[in-house]
Amino acid sequence: FGRGSADVTLGLLGGAGYTGSQVVADTAGEFRGVVALDPKYKGQRRFDCGVLYTDDPSDLAAVQAAVILTRKGDDIADVVPYFTPGTAVADDTHTCISPIVRGELVERGVDLWKAVMADERLRMFPRMPNFRGDNIPGCLLEAIVVLLRGREVLKSPEAFFQAATELGFRAELMRHPDD
């Protein structure tokens, strides 16, 4: 991306959900600012500790990078017109953003990526279409980590990330596999 986090405002779409709220807490203070966008905020526009909590998609004009944490990729369809060309967007959804919405993002000049977990020790068979065999969907990663380390790893994001890292899993950004 070519910038340090102190020079980037990060957008988190789905910021009010369980995972989104954890990511908001983890990234607050790590970036120039964080825009937590979610319809659950219902008319709120509140600034707290470097985080803007909002349901107004026009606030996305201020972000240079965004992570999609919504339940489904296409939950972002209505906010696509608000992204500024050049914004780096990581799709961390299942199901992924559809080809139609991905096309709209590309037309806007968005730099689209897919967030995956990887571990060369494992091979998905059959592998997910258009993914490498060592790409692991988040739901499977969670099941593996809980199976091996117990449910207590779900008490906090830190506990889960530590357990996943100790087990050898790593996060990656790859070009969206369907592009």
Side-chain angles (χ1 to χ4, degrees):
F1 188 63
R3 293 182 177 180
S5 60
D7 298 323
V8 173
T9 298
L10 177 68
L12 295 172
L13 286 76
Y18 176 76
T19 301
S21 63
Q22 300 297 315
V23 175
V24 168
D26 287 348
T27 57
E30 296 294 323
F31 290 86
R32 178 176 61 212
V34 175
V35 174
L37 178 71
D38 200 298
K40 292 177 185 173
Y41 294 130
K42 295 191 185 350
Q44 292 183 29
R45 193 164 191 280
R46 178 174 52 95
F47 191 76
D48 184 29
C49 298
V51 178
L52 173 62
Y53 297 89
T54 182
D55 71 344
D56 184 353
S58 68
D59 289 318
L60 289 175
V63 308
Q64 295 79 44
V67 180
I68 312 300
L69 298 166
T70 57
R71 286 185 45 218
K72 297 179 286 188
D74 282 359
D75 289 345
I76 68 153
D78 293 341
V79 304
V80 169
Y82 297 94
F83 282 109
T84 304
T87 302
V89 174
D91 175 10
D92 192 20
T93 63
H94 181 75
T95 57
C96 296
I97 300 171
S98 71
I100 291 170
V101 177
R102 283 196 318 272
E104 293 170 3
L105 287 164
V106 170
E107 285 179 22
R108 289 274 320 148
V110 167
D111 188 15
L112 185 60
W113 296 82
K114 180 67 182 158
V116 296
M117 295 303 292
D119 188 321
E120 57 278 345
R121 299 170 299 173
L122 301 176
R123 290 287 176 256
M124 296 285 293
F125 186 80
R127 69 180 174 80
M128 297 183 306
N130 301 323
F131 285 79
R132 293 188 329 247
D134 67 343
N135 291 149
I136 303 163
C139 53
L140 179 57
L141 173 70
E142 183 177 322
I144 293 170
V145 174
V146 169
L147 177 69
L148 295 175
R149 293 293 172 93
R151 294 193 59 79
E152 61 273 1
V153 300
L154 298 177
K155 290 181 181 174
S156 72
E158 294 82 14
F160 181 81
F161 298 144
Q162 180 178 348
T165 301
E166 288 171 358
L167 290 168
F169 296 104
R170 67 183 187 287
E172 291 182 1
L173 284 177
M174 61 184 268
R175 284 290 172 194
H176 209 286
D178 295 322
D179 289 340

